[in-house]
Amino acid sequence: MARKKKEREPSRSKAQPKPSYGWAAEEAAEEKLAEGLKRSDLDKGKVILVDRDISTPVIETYDANTGELEGSILLKDRNREGVTGLVKIIENVDVELDHDSNIESINFKGKLSVENQSKKDRLWDIDLSLKNIDSTSLKSNDIKIRELGTDKGTNVYTEDFVIKEEIKNLLLVQEYVNTLPEADNVLNLRDIETNLLKAKDKTSKAGAKVKERMAPVEEEEEEEEEEEEEEEEDEADETLEDGGTASDGYSLQAFGISIDKENTVTFAIAMRNLFAKAIKNVKVVKNIPGDFSNPIVRDTTEGRAEVEGNKVVWNIEKLMPETTVLMKFTCSILVTDITKRKTGTIDVTYEASSSFAEGLDIDKYDAYTRNKFYVDTVERDEEPGVWDCKLVFENPSEFIIQLFNADVYSPEDESVKYVDIDPSDVPLLPAGAQWHSKKWKFESEEYPAFRKKLEFRVMPDFQTIVIGTASIADIILEIASIAGDMFYDIEQVPTYKEKDVLATLKMINNGSAPLNEISVVQQYFNDEYRPPKADEIKVLWDRKEIELDSGSVNVEGNVFKISLKDLRNSSNGLFMPESSLEFQYPIHCINPAQDSKFESEITYFTNTFPVSQELEFKPEVPVLEALHLRRRFRIGKEVLPIGDLGNYEIILTLENIGTAPLQKLVLMDKVPDSFEYSDYSMKPEITDEVGQDTLKWTIDKLMAEEKIEITYKISGTGAYSPSDAQLGL
């Protein structure tokens, strides 16, 4: 049967709405052939005919140009389903990346598969045309398959292929690790996307490792560079390695963490889809080493991320083309030694529907299966020689069939057509359906014998299936950092008085790298709380006082700064691991108003030699509060006779009748010489401050409205006078 060379698009009946989805790859407007069909069950490989009115077993079809009724589809048992001729491009792609998105290797396996999904009906005379095969090992654009059976082993045609040229990685994935306090702001989507796009043109030969693709000269040069780097590291006494990437994205990452301190590390994983179509079922698994704890997902711009045991799992149902997405999470890490810590690898899986092979696709598919057609010719009862005729095309197979041409000619004149449909009028026939043309009248005394020409094909399902994986190497956290704390000798100062508060800042190099630069910055000074002068600062290096150049101290506005620079060329040398620094200086409190506060912020900045990512550490800084300390208290004494004559109990009371705490209160009582004393409720200090035995109590703190009571006993001896015990101090 000859095939009409027309554009073959399935028609829609007048009752059929225009669907907004595709059936070949489940994407909007994916294939024009999808119009009028949708998948009903992927596992069974079936599709269903789309129609607005599903209450009738008849679907009317109309001429696309004239709008006239042209025929109707009679469904079998209201069935609208059928299977398709399945053509699949299957690609398995495994990409290995280093931490900076450089391709270590790409392993690619491709397979072209033409399948008969029916278990009952064979396919034959299958013509398949491919496009854009140049980058692959496929031999020809045109593939002809004589027949596909219904049994396993006969129902599939396959052809393996590889990509001949270097391959671009079409799913960019990169991890960013930052240990700085402001990491959440640094790792923003805009800057990360700019950095990530620098990897979009990186390529690799399929199946080749990076080193395997290097020329011998390049390998020698790389070995020399590695030796030079090792020498530099030795000279620097294993100084801190670069805290960021070698690219312009350097500032996005920082790898320094502190010893003996809970560190928060922020991780950001970015992905960008470079495929021509959306990818789906994206799963990113971040493996968290045992050194890390308390993983918390902070943000996802797409999909959902959850902590599952020692992994963070990020799932995205669909990622559109040229779209960058970001997931951020934090972990805590506490280290007690300088052993390097790995940050954990990343594994990614996804499914794509566009080929890695730069546009490899299906251009055309034709196939035949079981079919049946006939012309009903019925002579009228009351008009002999007048015949009512109609063409019937029946689809007895399991497939959905596209009838893209049906012509019935007059037996007497070929220029006269009684049936003439073309691809723009094509009805789609589900399994078991019949297409009935509209009736035509024909007058003849002889049996009519019409010439017929019908063209049809099994409807195809074109699928490009990419099963992709990507693995991203981890990075090492260098324990090149500082730790420290700070405190004030007091945290409350009196109002409207001048008072100096001693600030002590301690710092220790608890990493493995010597430090060449150290800065201490304290800010938010004001007229009430003023910074020290250079000659008021005391610096202890490993508990020994060192001289501080006045040029190392700077005050600009409300910011006070101490800088120790280029230590390796100073008399003190580099700030070595396990060394300590202590800065002591006064904060001048000048007549602070009631309820005023000094809420300061202190940051230690350090760097190594050679220079790497600057590390910073922010100790917790107490708040200085100005309290309106006006002392109000009441002291009382009671003498209570007890037991035998000459025995008395002394009751001393101290009450804070003010609103502010009282500190370091001293309570004293004099005991007459003619009395013995004993049985104290609070043991006193015994002094002779007033020439006689004096009992002295020191009360560290007495809160507002608090009252305490102290008792002891006295016994008179000799010529005692009870009234002498009434006297108090």
Side-chain angles (χ1 to χ4, degrees):
M1 180 182 295
R3 303 190 184 185
K4 185 178 289 185
K5 302 299 183 182
K6 295 184 179 180
E7 182 183 0
R8 295 169 186 173
E9 297 182 359
S11 70
R12 293 179 300 276
S13 71
K14 209 167 193 180
Q16 291 174 316
K18 208 171 192 177
S20 61
Y21 46 78
W23 60 286
E26 298 182 307
E27 301 297 337
E30 181 64 30
E31 296 283 352
K32 290 184 178 179
L33 292 171
E35 294 182 353
L37 293 177
K38 70 175 180 181
R39 284 187 173 142
S40 60
D41 191 330
L42 285 175
D43 293 333
K44 295 180 180 178
K46 290 185 177 180
V47 296
I48 189 169
L49 191 66
V50 176
D51 189 76
R52 184 173 57 200
D53 184 5
I54 62 173
S55 63
T56 174
V58 176
I59 302 173
E60 294 180 339
T61 62
Y62 295 83
D63 187 285
N65 296 320
T66 66
E68 294 180 358
L69 179 67
E70 194 168 47
S72 60
I73 297 175
L74 179 63
L75 303 177
K76 182 180 180 180
D77 300 327
R78 297 182 183 271
N79 176 59
R80 295 170 181 271
E81 291 186 339
V83 297
T84 56
L86 182 59
V87 182
K88 293 191 290 189
I89 297 172
I90 305 169
E91 298 177 354
N92 289 279
V93 184
D94 303 318
V95 181
E96 294 181 7
L97 303 169
D98 68 8
H99 184 74
D100 298 320
S101 289
N102 298 307
I103 300 172
E104 295 291 340
S105 70
I106 294 182
N107 292 307
F108 178 95
K109 293 180 181 179
K111 178 181 288 188
L112 175 68
S113 172
V114 184
E115 301 179 18
N116 177 9
Q117 301 187 92
S118 173
K119 302 300 182 184
K120 298 179 180 178
D121 298 301
R122 298 201 305 265
L123 292 173
W124 59 84
D125 288 348
I126 302 166
D127 288 339
L128 178 66
S129 293
L130 305 174
K131 55 184 178 182
N132 301 323
I133 69 168
D134 294 342
S135 63
T136 75
S137 61
L138 292 168
K139 299 276 191 299
S140 173
N141 289 312
D142 298 316
I143 297 174
K144 296 184 182 299
I145 305 168
R146 180 179 296 172
E147 192 169 10
L148 289 177
T150 58
D151 301 324
K152 188 176 182 181
T154 66
N155 65 342
V156 179
Y157 168 88
T158 61
E159 190 171 334
D160 294 331
F161 67 92
V162 296
I163 296 178
K164 296 185 295 186
E165 307 297 332
E166 289 199 337
I167 307 174
K168 283 186 179 180
N169 179 25
L170 297 180
L171 179 62
L172 300 183
V173 186
Q174 185 163 345
E175 179 187 42
Y176 300 86
V177 180
N178 198 304
T179 59
L180 298 180
E182 67 272 18
D184 187 54
N185 294 326
V186 172
L187 297 175
N188 61 80
L189 182 60
R190 181 192 61 189
D191 291 340
I192 283 178
E193 184 174 69
T194 300
N195 176 259
L196 187 63
L197 286 174
K198 294 173 183 176
K200 70 182 299 183
D201 294 323
K202 294 179 179 178
T203 62
S204 176
K205 185 73 174 177
K209 292 281 187 180
V210 171
K211 281 208 167 192
E212 292 173 357
R213 293 191 287 113
M214 286 184 178
V217 174
E218 291 176 317
E219 290 184 8
E220 290 176 7
E221 290 177 351
E222 187 191 38
E223 289 174 1
E224 290 176 1
E225 289 175 1
E226 288 177 352
E227 289 175 2
E228 290 176 1
E229 289 174 0
E230 289 174 1
E231 289 174 2
E232 289 175 358
E233 289 175 358
D234 292 339
E235 290 173 2
D237 194 19
E238 297 182 350
T239 55
L240 178 63
E241 293 180 4
D242 188 359
T245 67
S247 67
D248 292 340
Y250 166 85
S251 62
L252 291 173
Q253 304 199 71
F255 305 134
I257 59 174
S258 298
I259 299 175
D260 298 324
K261 177 180 172 60
E262 195 79 14
N263 296 271
T264 298
V265 183
T266 301
F267 297 83
I269 301 174
M271 289 189 294
R272 185 175 180 86
N273 177 12
L274 300 182
F275 285 94
K277 302 170 187 175
I279 62 175
K280 63 181 181 180
N281 298 331
V282 184
K283 183 176 183 178
V284 180
V285 178
K286 167 65 178 181
N287 300 294
I288 303 174
D291 292 312
F292 292 88
S293 63
N294 193 31
I296 300 174
V297 176
R298 299 295 182 181
D299 186 29
T300 54
T301 62
E302 188 77 28
R304 181 178 179 83
E306 295 179 324
V307 178
E308 298 180 8
N310 63 344
K311 304 177 188 295
V312 174
V313 181
W314 181 19
N315 288 290
I316 301 175
E317 290 184 7
K318 182 182 290 187
L319 179 56
M320 300 304 292
E322 297 300 329
T323 301
T324 301
V325 293
L326 183 66
M327 185 270 287
K328 289 194 278 191
F329 69 96
T330 58
C331 283
S332 299
I333 183 169
L334 175 64
V335 296
T336 57
D337 56 54
I338 60 174
T339 304
K340 298 175 182 179
R341 263 66 174 187
K342 290 188 175 183
T343 56
T345 58
I346 298 173
D347 299 304
V348 182
T349 58
Y350 62 93
E351 298 172 22
S353 58
S354 50
S355 174
F356 259 83
E358 296 190 0
L360 176 63
D361 209 343
I362 311 300
D363 192 29
K364 187 187 70 171
Y365 172 93
D366 284 329
Y368 285 114
T369 190
R370 188 157 58 105
N371 64 92
K372 181 179 180 181
F373 61 89
Y374 50 86
V375 175
D376 282 345
T377 309
V378 180
E379 189 174 18
R380 293 180 181 178
D381 291 337
E382 299 178 359
E383 297 181 74
V386 178
W387 306 83
D388 288 325
C389 310
K390 69 174 179 179
L391 172 68
V392 179
F393 180 89
E394 183 176 342
N395 175 15
S397 74
E398 283 192 309
F399 294 98
I400 281 190
I401 285 179
Q402 179 190 16
L403 178 61
F404 59 82
N405 187 39
D407 295 331
V408 178
Y409 301 89
S410 169
E412 301 167 351
D413 185 355
E414 285 191 17
S415 65
V416 177
K417 285 186 181 181
Y418 296 108
V419 177
D420 183 13
I421 66 170
D422 57 42
S424 60
D425 310 325
V426 172
L428 300 177
L429 301 179
Q434 297 176 340
W435 180 74
H436 294 246
S437 73
K438 69 178 180 178
K439 292 181 180 180
W440 71 87
K441 186 175 78 170
F442 185 75
E443 296 182 11
S444 174
E445 293 300 327
E446 304 296 330
Y447 292 112
F450 301 101
R451 295 181 59 192
K452 300 170 286 295
K453 181 180 180 182
L454 287 91
E455 295 179 281
F456 69 93
R457 66 166 176 175
V458 172
M459 283 295 290
D461 185 356
F462 299 157
Q463 297 180 24
T464 299
I465 302 171
V466 176
I467 307 300
T469 70
S471 59
I472 297 90
D474 53 12
I475 198 70
I476 292 175
L477 294 182
E478 291 284 356
I479 317 301
S481 60
I482 54 170
D485 57 8
M486 76 83 56
F487 55 87
Y488 298 121
D489 62 339
I490 58 174
E491 296 179 16
Q492 296 174 342
V493 295
T495 56
Y496 308 110
K497 293 180 67 176
E498 293 189 6
K499 176 73 174 178
D500 285 348
V501 176
L502 181 64
T504 301
L505 286 66
K506 293 183 177 181
M507 177 189 303
I508 184 171
N509 180 350
N510 61 349
S512 59
L515 302 177
N516 188 48
E517 294 183 0
I518 299 170
S519 296
V520 175
V521 177
Q522 184 170 11
Q523 52 185 330
Y524 308 135
F525 288 94
N526 53 45
D527 290 340
E528 293 180 319
Y529 302 93
R530 299 178 186 177
K533 297 179 175 60
D535 59 2
E536 296 177 314
I537 301 170
K538 182 178 180 180
V539 182
L540 300 176
W541 186 311
D542 289 334
R543 294 179 293 278
K544 294 181 180 179
E545 187 172 358
I546 64 170
E547 291 186 10
L548 183 66
D549 189 334
S550 60
S552 300
V553 179
N554 183 42
V555 178
E556 291 185 7
N558 64 358
V559 179
F560 163 71
K561 183 176 183 180
I562 304 173
S563 300
L564 304 179
K565 294 185 177 182
D566 196 20
L567 292 175
R568 70 191 184 99
N569 291 321
S570 70
S571 58
N572 300 304
L574 290 167
F575 187 48
M576 301 301 291
E578 300 183 7
S579 289
S580 65
L581 272 174
E582 184 173 316
F583 300 87
Q584 298 176 1
Y585 53 81
I587 306 295
H588 302 297
C589 305
I590 310 298
N591 302 323
Q594 185 173 347
D595 296 329
S596 75
K597 295 180 180 181
F598 180 45
E599 297 179 283
S600 180
E601 182 178 283
I602 293 177
T603 307
Y604 303 156
F605 294 97
T606 67
N607 217 321
T608 61
F609 180 83
V611 173
S612 67
Q613 175 81 5
E614 186 175 58
L615 302 178
E616 65 177 78
F617 176 79
K618 294 179 183 290
E620 185 175 349
V621 181
V623 177
L624 289 180
E625 295 183 272
L627 298 182
H628 200 61
L629 302 176
R630 296 300 181 262
R631 294 159 289 184
R632 296 182 175 89
F633 59 93
R634 177 181 295 143
I635 296 177
K637 179 175 180 179
E638 180 181 359
V639 180
L640 182 67
I642 57 173
D644 297 335
L645 295 177
N647 293 308
Y648 300 89
E649 183 178 48
I650 308 299
I651 304 172
L652 304 176
T653 59
L654 176 62
E655 184 177 0
N656 184 349
I657 58 176
T659 58
L662 301 175
Q663 298 181 10
K664 302 297 182 183
L665 288 171
V666 175
L667 186 64
M668 293 192 297
D669 196 32
K670 181 178 68 174
V671 180
D673 291 337
S674 55
F675 285 89
E676 301 283 339
Y677 44 87
S678 63
D679 295 344
Y680 320 104
S681 63
M682 180 186 295
K683 188 174 181 179
E685 177 186 355
I686 300 174
T687 71
D688 58 355
E689 294 183 25
V690 292
Q692 292 178 278
D693 283 354
T694 304
L695 306 182
K696 180 179 179 181
W697 293 269
T698 300
I699 311 302
D700 289 331
K701 180 177 282 190
L702 188 66
M703 302 304 294
E705 300 183 1
E706 185 180 1
K707 179 179 179 180
I708 63 172
E709 185 176 273
I710 299 173
T711 63
Y712 68 95
K713 293 177 182 178
I714 59 174
S715 298
T717 60
Y720 68 88
S721 173
S723 60
D724 290 342
Q726 297 291 138
L727 300 176
L729 296 177

